[in-house]
Amino acid sequence: MIRSKITQREGSKSQSHRQDTDAARTWSLILSAARLARNAAWSLDHPLALRADPDGRVSTVDPAHRSLADLLWLPHTGWRPGNRTRDRAEDCQGGDPALALFDLYLPLCRPHPGPAEVIAHLGQSIDGFIATADGDARFVTGEANIRHLHRMRALSDAVLVGAETVAADDPRLTTRLVPGPNAVRVVLDPRRRLSSERHLFIDGEAETLLCCDRDRIRPGEKHHGRAELIGVPVVSDGLDLEAVLNTLAERGLRRIFIEGGGATVSRFLQAGRLSRLQIAVAPLVIGSGRPGVQLPPTQRLADALRPATRLFRMGEDVLYDFELTSESPAPAPEDSAAEVPRNALDDETITRSELSRIR
């Protein structure tokens, strides 16, 4: 009996270690897929096969040998897990973390044909509030969703927030919890009311841009703290969002992740500039406070927004991932990988790094 229990514990530890290794390997592949999707020189017309070693190093393999691949790009179909990933998943019990990561993040790693792809996220209580009336939002959602935010930052060119989010939370907006690059931090502050002493304006941890009314920038003035000042035209309800996105695109920042707050996300949604909206709902009742999405009233439910939706469990929270565009092509039969030129992965590889604590 004692030997049986010891064997069970050892088997459980071995299974847990394997799942952690598979998840880290999968995340390295997702980072590579996102980087390739932003590479203008990458040909979408040829299959690509990737595999990852246990240390997270990603390399290409011959697409004709799919049994060796962890991740595949197939023209007209897009990204899909390779045979090696599926074989490992069949051996897992209680769900496979690698396939779960692929399910959530691979659709976000597709090449985007337009000038900008904008994805927004809000974490809210079950009664629809993102913070108390006084602005306390630490933390509405749990650690799993916070880790998701860090992953989304790593997959994006820029992470964008409004002035109220900075005023309430003084966020760092870096990828401290997961391996991956920091995105450029963008703050929308039309009236330029934020102090230059805010953490993200002085920490130097990532490139930071402060977008404000161009009339509020003095001649020759270039910085707000260490953040670069970007003058933008103003419209009736704030900064011209199209001008903001065009300015970011000119800097090569085309995959934009909006992390809050509710007013900023709502403006982009109402303007039709979001390709995806993610809302994480926590088992929390605040009662009253700062609302999440706010749009003009709809008279008929038939006219309400009902986008295609995917659901993901994140600890005690549930993430709703809404697709707001129909640009993705319908799945097509798999392309033959035989005798087709392979895409090349650049020499830069992505390795695992130790995860940090939230605080």
Side-chain angles (χ1 to χ4, degrees):
M1 177 67 73
I2 295 176
R3 182 180 297 275
S4 176
K5 289 183 178 180
I6 292 175
T7 302
Q8 289 177 1
R9 284 198 298 269
E10 289 176 347
S12 176
K13 289 181 180 179
S14 176
Q15 176 77 3
S16 176
H17 175 74
R18 174 181 170 180
Q19 289 186 347
D20 290 344
T21 300
D22 286 349
R25 180 191 293 116
T26 300
W27 179 239
S28 293
L29 289 159
I30 291 168
L31 286 172
S32 295
R35 188 175 70 243
L36 282 166
R38 297 195 293 266
N39 186 350
W42 179 39
S43 172
L44 305 179
D45 298 327
H46 304 310
L48 174 69
L50 302 177
R51 66 174 290 160
D53 296 330
D55 66 355
R57 186 173 294 273
V58 176
S59 58
T60 57
V61 296
D62 188 339
H65 299 154
R66 297 188 182 181
S67 62
L68 303 176
D70 291 309
L71 181 62
L72 294 167
W73 168 265
L74 300 174
H76 312 299
T77 302
W79 294 110
R80 52 158 287 181
N83 291 1
R84 204 164 75 119
T85 296
R86 295 187 181 278
D87 289 343
R88 282 197 300 266
E90 291 178 359
D91 296 333
C92 285
Q93 299 176 359
D96 178 56
L99 287 182
L101 288 171
F102 277 150
D103 286 344
L104 175 55
Y105 296 110
L106 282 185
L108 313 182
C109 298
R110 297 181 302 218
H112 187 73
E117 180 179 25
V118 186
I119 300 173
H121 177 284
L122 288 173
Q124 67 178 46
S125 64
I126 203 165
D127 52 347
F129 298 105
I130 60 174
T132 66
D134 293 331
D136 181 13
R138 292 181 179 267
F139 292 101
V140 174
T141 56
E143 183 172 346
N145 182 247
I146 294 171
R147 187 176 298 271
H148 166 69
L149 293 178
H150 286 234
R151 288 192 176 114
M152 291 299 300
R153 296 169 189 172
L155 295 177
S156 304
D157 296 325
V159 53
L160 183 150
V161 295
E164 288 202 11
T165 296
V166 176
D169 300 338
D170 201 15
R172 294 166 65 179
L173 303 180
T174 56
T175 57
R176 304 181 304 283
L177 299 186
V178 299
N182 286 324
V184 175
R185 302 177 296 193
V186 180
V187 178
L188 303 188
D189 185 12
R191 292 177 290 165
R192 201 176 166 184
R193 58 191 177 88
L194 292 171
S195 165
S196 61
E197 297 303 311
R198 290 288 179 175
H199 192 87
L200 79 173
F201 295 143
I202 59 176
D203 62 10
E205 293 182 6
E207 182 181 353
T208 306
L209 309 176
L210 176 67
C211 297
C212 66
D213 179 356
R214 57 189 177 187
D215 291 336
R216 294 179 181 267
I217 301 178
R218 296 184 294 272
E221 191 178 20
K222 297 183 181 299
H223 294 92
H224 186 82
R226 298 176 66 174
E228 182 179 353
L229 281 169
I230 305 294
V232 179
V234 171
V235 293
S236 58
D237 58 346
L239 296 179
D240 184 330
L241 299 184
E242 201 66 33
V244 169
L245 294 178
N246 288 338
T247 299
L248 297 180
E250 289 171 0
R251 292 169 168 261
L253 308 176
R254 294 182 171 84
R255 191 181 295 272
I256 314 299
F257 179 52
I258 303 177
E259 201 169 308
T264 301
V265 170
S266 297
R267 282 197 67 214
F268 276 89
L269 179 59
Q270 185 176 350
R273 296 303 290 122
L274 293 184
S275 55
R276 303 187 88 92
L277 172 62
Q278 298 178 343
I279 296 182
V281 180
L284 170 72
V285 177
I286 297 178
S288 63
R290 298 188 179 183
V293 172
Q294 286 187 295
L295 297 175
T298 299
Q299 298 300 321
R300 303 188 312 147
L301 283 180
D303 299 327
L305 185 63
R306 291 184 184 268
T309 307
R310 303 185 303 152
L311 271 68
F312 299 90
R313 187 69 181 261
M314 292 186 170
E316 293 185 343
D317 307 328
V318 177
L319 180 77
Y320 290 80
D321 179 63
F322 303 109
E323 182 158 8
L324 303 176
T325 62
S326 56
E327 295 175 350
S328 55
E334 291 187 16
D335 300 80
S336 172
E339 298 181 1
V340 180
R342 286 182 291 163
N343 284 288
L345 188 67
D346 60 26
D347 291 334
E348 180 185 359
T349 56
I350 304 169
T351 57
R352 294 176 58 191
S353 65
E354 184 178 359
L355 299 181
S356 305
R357 295 183 61 83
I358 290 178
R359 296 177 178 84

